[in-house]
Amino acid sequence: QVQLVESGGGLVQAGGSLRLSCEVSGRTFDSYNMVWFRQAPGKEREFVAAIRWSSGAMYYADSMRGRFTISRDNAKNMVYLQMNSLKPEDTAVYYCGAHTRTVVETSPSSIDYWGQGTQVTVSS
């Protein structure tokens, strides 16, 4: 079992930055892929970014590449999502997730574990 707790969300003006954190605990997760998804009101949960815990290889949704950066700190068991140049359309609840599949999973149905989410609101 893996437990995930997100933090760092809040209200920010357009063009600003936020760093989301995800504290990871539970069973050994060296084989896990960590992901960030987001869900805006009335929309489906969508893939944002992923990172392989073991290698640090990173993957991004095309619309986030260049503005968002995913990273992890193995020593602290933390995963981060640095978000820059935020836009009002980035407003959503952001979720940290984990899965053990070898491919990059961009479908929320393929994620094994989820955190509770953290709200990000970008004002215009």
Side-chain angles (χ1 to χ4, degrees), residues 87-110:
K87 307 173 183 180
E89 51 264 42
D90 294 318
T91 295
V93 177
Y94 284 71
Y95 295 91
C96 178
H99 68 87
T100 58
R101 295 164 183 78
T102 57
V103 298
V104 178
E105 294 287 352
T106 60
S107 169
S109 62
S110 300

Tab-separated table of all heavy atoms in Angstrom, residues 87-110:
chain	number	residue	atom	x	y	z
A	87	LYS	N	-1.707	29.934	-15.935
A	87	LYS	CA	-2.808	30.531	-16.673
A	87	LYS	C	-4.123	30.207	-15.970
A	87	LYS	O	-4.203	29.200	-15.261
A	87	LYS	CB	-2.850	29.970	-18.093
A	87	LYS	CG	-1.546	30.074	-18.856
A	87	LYS	CD	-1.628	29.340	-20.175
A	87	LYS	CE	-0.305	29.376	-20.935
A	87	LYS	NZ	-0.384	28.651	-22.218
A	88	PRO	N	-5.146	31.021	-16.180
A	88	PRO	CA	-6.442	30.702	-15.550
A	88	PRO	C	-6.934	29.291	-15.897
A	88	PRO	O	-7.566	28.642	-15.061
A	88	PRO	CB	-7.361	31.777	-16.117
A	88	PRO	CG	-6.460	32.952	-16.355
A	88	PRO	CD	-5.162	32.339	-16.828
A	89	GLU	N	-6.620	28.817	-17.088
A	89	GLU	CA	-7.054	27.473	-17.477
A	89	GLU	C	-6.304	26.362	-16.761
A	89	GLU	O	-6.628	25.178	-16.912
A	89	GLU	CB	-6.948	27.281	-18.997
A	89	GLU	CG	-5.618	27.661	-19.584
A	89	GLU	CD	-5.603	29.085	-20.141
A	89	GLU	OE1	-6.162	29.991	-19.474
A	89	GLU	OE2	-5.027	29.279	-21.227
A	90	ASP	N	-5.284	26.719	-15.985
A	90	ASP	CA	-4.600	25.726	-15.138
A	90	ASP	C	-5.353	25.493	-13.835
A	90	ASP	O	-4.973	24.609	-13.052
A	90	ASP	CB	-3.173	26.176	-14.830
A	90	ASP	CG	-2.286	26.209	-16.055
A	90	ASP	OD1	-2.369	25.272	-16.879
A	90	ASP	OD2	-1.507	27.180	-16.189
A	91	THR	N	-6.392	26.252	-13.591
A	91	THR	CA	-7.188	26.083	-12.381
A	91	THR	C	-7.800	24.692	-12.346
A	91	THR	O	-8.480	24.271	-13.276
A	91	THR	CB	-8.293	27.150	-12.309
A	91	THR	OG1	-7.692	28.442	-12.177
A	91	THR	CG2	-9.223	26.893	-11.137
A	92	ALA	N	-7.522	23.964	-11.267
A	92	ALA	CA	-7.984	22.585	-11.135
A	92	ALA	C	-7.572	22.051	-9.779
A	92	ALA	O	-6.783	22.682	-9.059
A	92	ALA	CB	-7.380	21.700	-12.230
A	93	VAL	N	-8.091	20.884	-9.458
A	93	VAL	CA	-7.550	20.117	-8.343
A	93	VAL	C	-6.441	19.232	-8.909
A	93	VAL	O	-6.648	18.522	-9.898
A	93	VAL	CB	-8.625	19.249	-7.668
A	93	VAL	CG1	-8.004	18.407	-6.547
A	93	VAL	CG2	-9.747	20.126	-7.120
A	94	TYR	N	-5.285	19.301	-8.301
A	94	TYR	CA	-4.124	18.541	-8.765
A	94	TYR	C	-3.932	17.333	-7.851
A	94	TYR	O	-3.904	17.470	-6.624
A	94	TYR	CB	-2.889	19.424	-8.771
A	94	TYR	CG	-2.872	20.384	-9.940
A	94	TYR	CD1	-3.742	21.457	-9.986
A	94	TYR	CD2	-2.010	20.192	-11.020
A	94	TYR	CE1	-3.762	22.329	-11.070
A	94	TYR	CE2	-2.004	21.059	-12.109
A	94	TYR	CZ	-2.899	22.124	-12.123
A	94	TYR	OH	-2.905	22.972	-13.203
A	95	TYR	N	-3.765	16.178	-8.495
A	95	TYR	CA	-3.645	14.915	-7.777
A	95	TYR	C	-2.298	14.268	-8.036
A	95	TYR	O	-1.838	14.198	-9.189
A	95	TYR	CB	-4.732	13.943	-8.217
A	95	TYR	CG	-6.143	14.366	-7.892
A	95	TYR	CD1	-6.895	15.105	-8.796
A	95	TYR	CD2	-6.728	14.017	-6.674
A	95	TYR	CE1	-8.188	15.494	-8.501
A	95	TYR	CE2	-8.030	14.395	-6.375
A	95	TYR	CZ	-8.749	15.136	-7.292
A	95	TYR	OH	-10.032	15.504	-6.994
A	96	CYS	N	-1.711	13.770	-6.991
A	96	CYS	CA	-0.525	12.935	-7.094
A	96	CYS	C	-0.981	11.483	-7.161
A	96	CYS	O	-1.938	11.098	-6.475
A	96	CYS	CB	0.360	13.170	-5.870
A	96	CYS	SG	1.847	12.170	-5.789
A	97	GLY	N	-0.320	10.689	-7.999
A	97	GLY	CA	-0.686	9.289	-8.135
A	97	GLY	C	0.532	8.408	-8.309
A	97	GLY	O	1.644	8.903	-8.517
A	98	ALA	N	0.316	7.101	-8.244
A	98	ALA	CA	1.407	6.146	-8.410
A	98	ALA	C	0.905	4.866	-9.076
A	98	ALA	O	-0.242	4.458	-8.854
A	98	ALA	CB	2.030	5.811	-7.053
A	99	HIS	N	1.771	4.271	-9.890
A	99	HIS	CA	1.451	2.971	-10.496
A	99	HIS	C	2.750	2.246	-10.774
A	99	HIS	O	3.830	2.846	-10.747
A	99	HIS	CB	0.635	3.136	-11.781
A	99	HIS	CG	1.386	3.764	-12.918
A	99	HIS	ND1	2.150	3.026	-13.814
A	99	HIS	CD2	1.505	5.053	-13.312
A	99	HIS	CE1	2.687	3.834	-14.706
A	99	HIS	NE2	2.329	5.066	-14.420
A	100	THR	N	2.657	0.953	-11.054
A	100	THR	CA	3.850	0.131	-11.243
A	100	THR	C	4.039	-0.359	-12.672
A	100	THR	O	4.941	-1.140	-12.938
A	100	THR	CB	3.804	-1.088	-10.314
A	100	THR	OG1	2.607	-1.837	-10.598
A	100	THR	CG2	3.828	-0.693	-8.856
A	101	ARG	N	3.233	0.074	-13.582
A	101	ARG	CA	3.374	-0.378	-14.959
A	101	ARG	C	4.630	0.193	-15.593
A	101	ARG	O	5.099	1.256	-15.207
A	101	ARG	CB	2.124	0.007	-15.759
A	101	ARG	CG	0.882	-0.718	-15.241
A	101	ARG	CD	-0.390	-0.080	-15.733
A	101	ARG	NE	-1.563	-0.718	-15.179
A	101	ARG	CZ	-2.011	-0.506	-13.947
A	101	ARG	NH1	-1.387	0.339	-13.144
A	101	ARG	NH2	-3.083	-1.137	-13.527
A	102	THR	N	5.137	-0.512	-16.593
A	102	THR	CA	6.394	-0.087	-17.201
A	102	THR	C	6.206	1.028	-18.219
A	102	THR	O	7.156	1.729	-18.553
A	102	THR	CB	7.082	-1.275	-17.888
A	102	THR	OG1	6.184	-1.846	-18.851
A	102	THR	CG2	7.464	-2.334	-16.865
A	103	VAL	N	5.004	1.209	-18.718
A	103	VAL	CA	4.756	2.265	-19.686
A	103	VAL	C	4.289	3.519	-18.961
A	103	VAL	O	3.884	3.461	-17.797
A	103	VAL	CB	3.707	1.844	-20.732
A	103	VAL	CG1	4.212	0.646	-21.521
A	103	VAL	CG2	2.378	1.523	-20.069
A	104	VAL	N	4.344	4.648	-19.653
A	104	VAL	CA	3.834	5.890	-19.081
A	104	VAL	C	2.318	5.866	-19.211
A	104	VAL	O	1.793	5.806	-20.316
A	104	VAL	CB	4.416	7.107	-19.813
A	104	VAL	CG1	3.832	8.401	-19.246
A	104	VAL	CG2	5.932	7.109	-19.690
A	105	GLU	N	1.653	5.883	-18.087
A	105	GLU	CA	0.201	5.813	-18.078
A	105	GLU	C	-0.381	7.219	-18.057
A	105	GLU	O	-0.075	7.997	-17.167
A	105	GLU	CB	-0.297	5.010	-16.877
A	105	GLU	CG	0.080	3.544	-16.916
A	105	GLU	CD	-0.728	2.782	-17.959
A	105	GLU	OE1	-1.662	3.367	-18.534
A	105	GLU	OE2	-0.424	1.595	-18.188
A	106	THR	N	-1.222	7.530	-19.025
A	106	THR	CA	-1.858	8.843	-19.074
A	106	THR	C	-3.353	8.761	-18.826
A	106	THR	O	-4.044	9.775	-18.887
A	106	THR	CB	-1.596	9.519	-20.430
A	106	THR	OG1	-2.137	8.695	-21.474
A	106	THR	CG2	-0.108	9.709	-20.662
A	107	SER	N	-3.846	7.569	-18.569
A	107	SER	CA	-5.254	7.384	-18.258
A	107	SER	C	-5.422	7.261	-16.756
A	107	SER	O	-4.728	6.466	-16.117
A	107	SER	CB	-5.804	6.124	-18.929
A	107	SER	OG	-7.091	5.826	-18.426
A	108	PRO	N	-6.342	8.021	-16.169
A	108	PRO	CA	-6.520	7.931	-14.713
A	108	PRO	C	-6.960	6.545	-14.253
A	108	PRO	O	-6.698	6.173	-13.102
A	108	PRO	CB	-7.581	8.992	-14.418
A	108	PRO	CG	-8.240	9.273	-15.707
A	108	PRO	CD	-7.225	9.037	-16.771
A	109	SER	N	-7.591	5.767	-15.124
A	109	SER	CA	-8.045	4.438	-14.732
A	109	SER	C	-6.885	3.474	-14.514
A	109	SER	O	-7.068	2.402	-13.931
A	109	SER	CB	-9.000	3.870	-15.781
A	109	SER	OG	-8.331	3.724	-17.021
A	110	SER	N	-5.704	3.840	-14.980
A	110	SER	CA	-4.528	2.973	-14.847
A	110	SER	C	-3.696	3.280	-13.611
A	110	SER	O	-2.685	2.615	-13.380
A	110	SER	CB	-3.643	3.107	-16.091
A	110	SER	OG	-4.343	2.732	-17.257
